[in-house]
Amino acid sequence: MIRTQYFELGADAHDVEQAVLYRLRNELGVPPFLDASHMRYGGATETADADLVSPLKLWGLVCQARDEIDSEAT
């Protein structure tokens, strides 16, 4: 973990997660890193290879998505 983002609403956290995953998969072409057999409780689709996207780039995607959700709320 490199940073933490807190949300008042779980729905906002989910929206940010989905926006980041969309950008990773569809805009950056980063596939899931692990498959379901490696994830005991699910979540394989939420993984990414750090060699393909750095933690700081990922954090930037989180901030961008958060800002977009915040601007839609106002």
Side-chain angles (χ1 to χ4, degrees), residues 4-22:
T4 303
Q5 176 65 58
Y6 295 97
F7 295 91
E8 285 187 41
L9 302 175
D12 289 344
H14 180 263
D15 291 347
V16 166
E17 176 185 53
Q18 294 307 303
V20 169
L21 290 171
Y22 179 86

Side-chain angles (χ1 to χ4, degrees), residues 18-60:
Q18 294 307 303
V20 169
L21 290 171
Y22 179 86
R23 286 189 176 106
L24 282 174
R25 308 299 180 232
N26 299 297
E27 295 176 11
L28 300 174
V30 176
F33 183 64
L34 300 175
D35 62 38
S37 68
H38 292 100
M39 301 292 288
R40 186 176 194 177
Y41 299 107
T45 60
E46 300 165 0
T47 63
D49 186 343
D51 288 336
L52 298 178
V53 58
S54 72
L56 290 178
K57 172 67 175 175
L58 191 58
W59 180 251

